Amino acid sequence: MSRPLRLRGIRPYGADDPVDLLLRDGVIAELGTGLDGTGAEVFDGGGLIALPGLVDLHAHLREPGREDAETIATGSAAAALGGYTAVFAMANTDPVADTAVVVEHVYRRGCEIGLVDVHPVGAVTAGLRGERLAELGAMAASAAAVRMFSDDGGCVHDSLLMRRALEYTRGLRGVIAQHAEDPRLTAGAQAHEGEIAARLGLAGWPAAAEESIVARDCLLARDAAAALHVCHVSTAGTVEILRWAKERGIRVSAEVTPHHLLLTDERLAGYDPVNKVNPPLRTAADSAALRAALAEGIVDCVATDHAPHAAQDKDCEWSAARPGVLGLQTALSVVMATMVRPGLLDWRGVARVMSERPARIGGAADQGRPIAVGQPATLVLVDPDATWTVRGAALASLADNTPYEGMELPGRVVATLLRGEITTEDGKVQR
Ligand code: DOR
Ligand code: ZN
């Protein structure tokens, strides 16, 4: 057993008055002021804010198959340094995570690395081909205990297949995470369909390609009494459909990415492919609607859609570049800039949208727990007053495709604790 650790002078959920936490055997053993931590290692918090460790429902870790872009090791490091203690690893790997063998491999690699809990997401359809269901039951029964299934990167667009997937996952107590994009409406699309795409001469990705799938899926989830999760909501119209569905008791949850909260299609003017992402950056009115929906709870949580790409796939002309941006190490700062600073969320709210709700949606029972005696010591410590300048080359990811290059962002993750094991800012793990 490791030595007990005493976190001195930290502020749970941003409370005004600092307390000490005594961590023993991976659990919060005591919480209060003036604790007797004799024999414990001391970590001086100096007023840092403590939140439950962040949970990301949507990350592309690229292993197996594209270890030149990211690995489970580098992605786990980026996650831990970004304040995450659990990440859901998307299935669009090579081979695809559509069998028990592949999801168990990802799960075991995550355990070996041990910086964050890695939960493999299983593919909905075999090979992500959208033709027949993958072995959902076998993945659920595997050591990886998969509960979230997604064809992310592509959409389960066949209505009957989506209906069957929802019916089947209901029995598995799972959830289908849908990348909502009608592929017929987005064939060749390069940017949000609107004024800016028209001016730049880029083929448009209409809002209706997302909204029509979300509306359909809400109805299918209603009929199957199944859980649906909508990935990376990007339009104001989708927010209204989610509101309609939630008012009717349909089991639908939704995520928004940090980049859709902060960035808009105005960034596209220079044709820099670092801004190419799927779904595309939308209008300022859309991102304002997303911020309001996250504050209100119509959009349940933040997920990064961390999408590292090797330079040869990203540093090329716009139409050939892969969509996607890095997200794990910048998410908390972007949420602070877009939600906390403007007064849309307080720190309790941040804990809700970045930890508690994603843990519940993904079925990670050990995560998103309250900061209280007897609970796992799975935490993030944040300096809310610090600022930092983003440099892609300095991030732990193998790739460097961050859209925030050179931007000064508020809030710094100082340490992340996973069941008492600490990862500090400099990447060193103290054991
Ligand atoms: O921008 C994106 N990148 N959106 C997706 O849906 C997939 C992802 C990727 O795998 O790169
Ligand atoms: Zn997606």
Side-chain angles (χ1 to χ4, degrees):
M1 284 291 149
S2 54
R3 231 169 121 198
L5 180 65
R6 180 176 164 209
L7 303 179
R8 195 164 54 196
I10 65 156
R11 300 187 293 130
Y13 307 101
D16 289 337
D17 299 322
V19 293
D20 292 0
L21 261 64
L22 189 66
L23 314 181
R24 200 180 289 129
D25 300 333
V27 170
I28 302 175
E30 294 176 46
L31 185 156
T33 48
L35 300 184
D36 175 23
T38 314
E41 234 175 291
V42 176
F43 183 96
D44 206 345
L48 297 176
I49 290 174
L51 303 178
L54 309 182
V55 177
D56 189 8
L57 289 177
H58 193 144
H60 298 273
L61 301 186
R62 304 296 189 217
E63 184 179 345
R66 284 310 301 264
E67 291 85 351
D68 55 332
E70 193 79 293
T71 65
I72 296 168
T74 58
S76 292
L81 293 173
Y84 286 91
T85 49
V87 298
F88 285 69
M90 276 298 171
N92 62 340
T93 50
D94 184 12
V96 170
D98 60 357
T99 60
V101 172
V102 180
V103 294
E104 283 195 359
H105 169 77
V106 171
Y107 173 72
R108 289 193 204 288
R109 262 316 274 155
C111 292
E112 275 165 28
I113 292 151
L115 292 174
V116 297
D117 291 343
V118 176
H119 295 281
V121 175
V124 178
T125 70
L128 306 175
R129 281 187 298 274
E131 290 162 4
R132 61 180 174 85
L133 291 184
E135 299 171 11
L136 308 186
M139 290 189 275
S142 76
V146 175
R147 287 293 174 276
M148 181 173 260
F149 299 93
S150 182
D151 271 8
D152 184 68
C155 177
V156 182
H157 58 91
D158 182 297
S159 306
L160 182 60
L161 206 52
M162 185 60 180
R163 176 180 181 160
R164 294 281 175 259
L166 286 162
E167 288 168 350
Y168 202 36
T169 48
R170 178 178 172 222
L172 300 172
R173 296 181 185 281
V175 57
I176 301 283
Q178 176 74 293
H179 167 119
E181 172 183 355
D182 182 331
R184 295 274 288 151
L185 290 175
T186 62
Q190 294 290 335
H192 169 66
E193 183 180 270
E195 268 173 50
I196 289 181
R199 181 150 35 85
L200 297 175
L202 296 171
W205 198 128
E210 173 174 308
E211 294 156 3
S212 58
I213 294 288
V214 175
R216 178 202 73 173
D217 287 355
C218 286
L219 300 176
L220 295 176
R222 176 195 65 187
D223 292 356
L228 167 71
H229 179 72
V230 182
C231 295
H232 40 55
V233 171
S234 71
T235 79
T238 296
V239 170
E240 290 317 305
I241 294 162
L242 291 169
R243 183 190 307 282
W244 180 91
K246 287 187 169 201
E247 279 169 3
R248 281 155 187 78
I250 295 173
R251 295 174 62 199
V252 59
S253 58
E255 68 189 34
V256 62
T257 70
H259 47 278
H260 288 106
L261 291 174
L262 181 64
L263 307 176
T264 68
D265 62 350
E266 282 156 36
R267 300 257 311 191
L268 271 50
Y271 293 96
D272 183 344
V274 80
N275 298 306
K276 184 171 173 178
V277 65
N278 192 17
L281 299 179
R282 304 283 187 186
T283 66
D286 288 307
S287 63
L290 296 172
R291 292 191 293 269
L294 182 63
E296 193 190 342
I298 297 293
V299 168
D300 301 77
C301 64
V302 173
T304 66
D305 198 2
H306 178 79
H309 287 297
Q312 75 266 22
D313 296 324
K314 194 67 175 163
D315 296 343
C316 45
E317 76 272 17
W318 183 277
S319 62
R322 300 267 172 90
V325 297
L326 299 185
L328 285 167
Q329 270 178 271
T330 45
L332 185 60
S333 289
V334 173
V335 169
M336 194 173 162
T338 53
M339 302 297 296
V340 180
R341 287 269 168 97
L344 289 168
L345 280 183
D346 58 13
W347 289 102
R348 280 220 173 249
V350 174
R352 210 158 50 231
V353 304
M354 296 190 81
S355 177
E356 295 161 10
R357 285 192 190 139
R360 200 179 61 226
I361 293 164
D366 192 32
Q367 298 275 344
R369 309 288 306 174
I371 302 175
V373 171
Q375 296 289 346
T378 297
L379 304 165
V380 52
L381 304 182
V382 187
D383 180 350
D385 301 319
T387 58
W388 62 296
T389 302
V390 181
R391 297 284 170 219
L395 299 175
S397 283
L398 279 183
D400 62 4
N401 53 303
T402 173
Y404 313 111
E405 182 72 35
M407 236 187 236
E408 190 178 271
L409 294 179
R412 189 85 177 124
V413 172
V414 175
T416 304
L417 292 109
L418 177 64
R419 295 179 285 276
E421 298 285 349
I422 185 163
T423 301
T424 52
E425 210 175 12
D426 60 10
K428 295 210 181 84
V429 184
Q430 299 163 6
R431 293 191 190 276

